[in-house]
Amino acid sequence: MAHSIHEETETTAATPLLRRNWRWFQVPSTIKLKTSLSSELSGAVGDLGTYIPIVLALSLVNSLDLTTTLVFTALYNIATGLLFGLPMPVQPMKSIAAVAISESPPLSIPQISAAGLSVAAVLLFLGATGLMSFLYRYLPLPVVRGVQLSQGLSFAMSAIKYIRYQQDLATQTSGAARSWLALDGLLIALAATLFLILTTGAGVDDHRAAENTQREESDETDSLNKTSESRIHRRIRFLSNIPSALLVFLFGLVICFISDPSIFGDLKFGPSKIALIKITWDDLKIGFFRAAIPQIPLSVLNSVIAVCKLSGDLFPGKGEASVMKVSVSVGLMNFVGCWFGAMPCCHGAGGLAGQYRFGGRSGASVVFLGLAKLILALVFGNSFGRILGQFPIGILGVLLLFAGIELAMASRDMNSKEESFVMFVCAAVSLTGNSAALGFIVGIVLYLLLKFRELDCGACFGFSTSTTRKVKDEEASLIGN
């Protein structure tokens, strides 16, 4: 008996020590799983529909070092996942990439890096001084929604082109229509689309919706209906737990090796050397005026303001991401990576929508993606470009399509015809002018005109409605007398 009491005392005394030591191994709250592991892994690949084509095009046309870009974007992913606790994406600066590829001759890596550093300086200044928070606080919501709608529809239209036509990523042009039965044909893309629709539905949180439906059932409901609802709920929950986007992406990798088995022989182990690049004054001028100027408004609107607004829409319980943190985050990322020739990056609303669409609910999603990029960079280095070069563009188009639609659907909360009018005009101008900045300016002007139309001009000049009515009453009394 004394022996058992001694053992119990010893165990009790040891337990606090074990608990105290275990605290060192606790997972940070920002990357604790909010759903299943499979869902977070699936969400991790949700933004690759934009990432892979741009990285591949820059590596082909501008000699972007793939090892450097993979390593730094991996570190960005891990850092943002730990910082924000959201599937905050790391995506290429699209306007800089488009200019770098389309210019004749194409921009050099120092010029691309100079453009990235210029944008980083602007965003870091706006974030650190609080000017970005001021812009975010006073920008009209319909204008922000118009920018989101235009970006989402732009992604969706690009995705349809990826699916329907052959793509030359080096020249950013579409070629002949895809055949139905090729390994990168329409049939494969259609099958992937149907699979994603069956497993993810319209993108709603099926777990929560099913649970709410069950709670609202009354006790008087027929037992047969209860059984039917329970069966449907189990089926939807099973389908939602399938890492659909991850399976589609892995299927695309299998197609890479089937379409070109010589990839196995071309793969080389080990990363390339990462080194500082030299940026001259001429590189800075060319990078700033040709690439940074068109990128700055896009980064302010889509990479900071739209991202923060979308984070509040998708995660209402957590609240919107800090505008200051997001702006400073983009600035610091590029101030580190661009000096080594890494691709200029930002946080994009489309990437956040895509990762959420396929199951990402916490920072763990992008941390997993970052770890995968880091492993691939260290193991295969620049030779991993051979795999990306054979990846089915049609499957990337399918992933991009769902991400674009998810982003566009964020604009469905307009409460009046006036707000919808501003949003649609802003989106239309952004799409047709191929400029989010132009759409933003038109949206702001239109919003102010509509507000001016409703102003009480008498009040503006010092005559209130009550004063005018009082004068009329006095005149009527005099006439009566």
Side-chain angles (χ1 to χ4, degrees), residues 24-346:
W24 292 97
F25 301 97
Q26 283 185 347
V27 176
S29 60
T30 51
I31 59 173
K32 284 185 178 179
L33 299 181
K34 301 295 189 295
T35 56
S36 63
L37 176 62
S38 60
S39 294
E40 296 287 359
L41 290 172
S42 182
V45 301
D47 71 333
L48 295 184
T50 53
Y51 180 87
I52 291 178
I54 293 176
V55 170
L56 184 58
L58 288 172
S59 64
L60 293 173
V61 178
N62 308 89
S63 301
L64 180 77
D65 188 84
L66 195 58
T67 297
T68 302
T69 291
L70 283 175
V71 167
F72 277 100
T73 55
L75 297 177
Y76 302 159
N77 279 131
I78 295 170
T80 54
L82 291 169
L83 175 64
F84 293 104
L86 302 172
M88 186 67 73
V90 173
Q91 293 188 308
M93 289 189 178
K94 299 173 187 63
S95 185
I96 290 178
V99 171
I101 294 165
S102 60
E103 284 283 308
S104 183
L107 297 189
S108 65
I109 293 300
Q111 290 166 352
I112 294 172
S113 296
L117 288 169
S118 302
V119 177
V122 172
L123 293 184
L124 194 58
F125 173 78
L126 292 175
T129 59
L131 289 175
M132 188 70 79
S133 300
F134 176 83
L135 286 174
Y136 182 75
R137 190 178 301 115
Y138 291 104
L139 278 181
L141 179 61
V143 177
V144 177
R145 291 296 190 229
V147 173
Q148 288 178 315
L149 179 61
S150 66
Q151 288 293 309
L153 293 178
S154 177
F155 285 168
M157 290 188 291
S158 297
I160 296 299
K161 286 195 296 184
Y162 286 0
I163 294 170
R164 291 190 60 192
Y165 302 104
Q166 303 285 345
Q167 299 295 314
D168 185 351
L169 295 178
T171 59
Q172 296 290 293
T173 56
S174 300
R178 295 189 187 278
S179 63
W180 278 94
L181 300 178
L183 285 174
D184 191 13
L186 290 174
L187 192 61
I188 295 292
L190 181 60
T193 304
L194 294 176
F195 173 69
L196 290 175
I197 292 173
L198 286 173
T199 51
T200 65
V204 298
D205 195 337
D206 291 317
H207 300 286
R208 195 183 305 163
E211 288 169 4
N212 291 338
T213 301
Q214 284 191 339
R215 287 194 201 101
E216 292 171 0
E217 288 177 345
S218 64
D219 295 333
E220 298 176 359
T221 305
D222 184 73
S223 59
L224 184 62
N225 290 338
K226 282 187 176 181
T227 304
S228 176
E229 289 288 341
S230 178
R231 188 165 56 247
I232 293 172
H233 168 60
R234 285 197 300 269
R235 184 176 73 246
I236 291 177
R237 187 169 186 176
F238 171 76
L239 292 172
S240 299
N241 284 329
I242 296 174
S244 51
L246 180 62
L247 292 177
V248 168
F249 181 76
L250 293 176
F251 180 65
L253 288 178
V254 172
I255 292 178
C256 289
F257 292 99
I258 294 176
S259 60
D260 188 2
S262 65
I263 292 176
F264 288 103
D266 294 336
L267 290 177
K268 298 177 181 179
F269 294 102
S272 63
K273 185 178 179 181
I274 298 176
L276 285 168
I277 62 170
K278 183 180 179 181
I279 300 176
T280 65
W281 179 247
D282 287 336
D283 292 331
L284 188 60
K285 287 192 295 184
I286 292 172
F288 178 75
F289 287 106
R290 292 190 188 178
I293 288 178
Q295 177 66 50
I296 288 170
L298 183 62
S299 291
V300 170
L301 295 172
N302 188 54
S303 302
V304 180
I305 293 174
V307 163
C308 294
K309 185 62 67 177
L310 184 63
S311 68
D313 297 334
L314 299 179
F315 302 93
K318 188 176 180 63
E320 297 174 353
S322 166
V323 178
M324 184 273 289
K325 282 185 178 180
V326 173
S327 186
V328 170
S329 169
V330 176
L332 291 178
M333 284 193 309
N334 291 285
F335 259 121
V336 174
C338 286
W339 289 110
F340 296 88
M343 174 184 65
C345 293
C346 59

Side-chain angles (χ1 to χ4, degrees), residues 43 45-47 349-360 399 402-404 406-407:
V45 301
D47 71 333
L352 177 59
Q355 289 178 327
Y356 181 90
R357 179 66 172 76
F358 292 118
L399 296 175
F402 282 84
E406 184 69 29
L407 176 58

Side-chain angles (χ1 to χ4, degrees), residues 365-448:
S365 183
V366 288
V367 169
F368 290 142
L369 177 61
L371 292 174
K373 288 179 183 178
L374 194 59
I375 292 170
L376 291 172
L378 297 178
V379 173
F380 296 114
N382 286 346
S383 66
F384 186 65
R386 281 284 289 118
I387 298 177
L388 295 183
Q390 292 298 321
F391 196 92
I393 300 297
I395 286 183
L396 290 178
V398 172
L399 296 175
L400 183 59
L401 174 63
F402 282 84
I405 295 300
E406 184 69 29
L407 176 58
M409 285 197 299
S411 62
R412 66 187 185 275
D413 63 346
M414 294 293 92
N415 297 319
S416 67
K417 191 171 182 179
E418 179 184 280
E419 291 180 339
S420 299
F421 178 63
V422 174
M423 178 187 71
F424 284 122
V425 170
C426 177
V429 173
S430 298
L431 285 172
T432 54
N434 198 26
S435 170
L438 179 61
F440 170 76
I441 293 171
V442 171
I444 289 290
V445 172
L446 179 60
Y447 180 83
L448 293 176

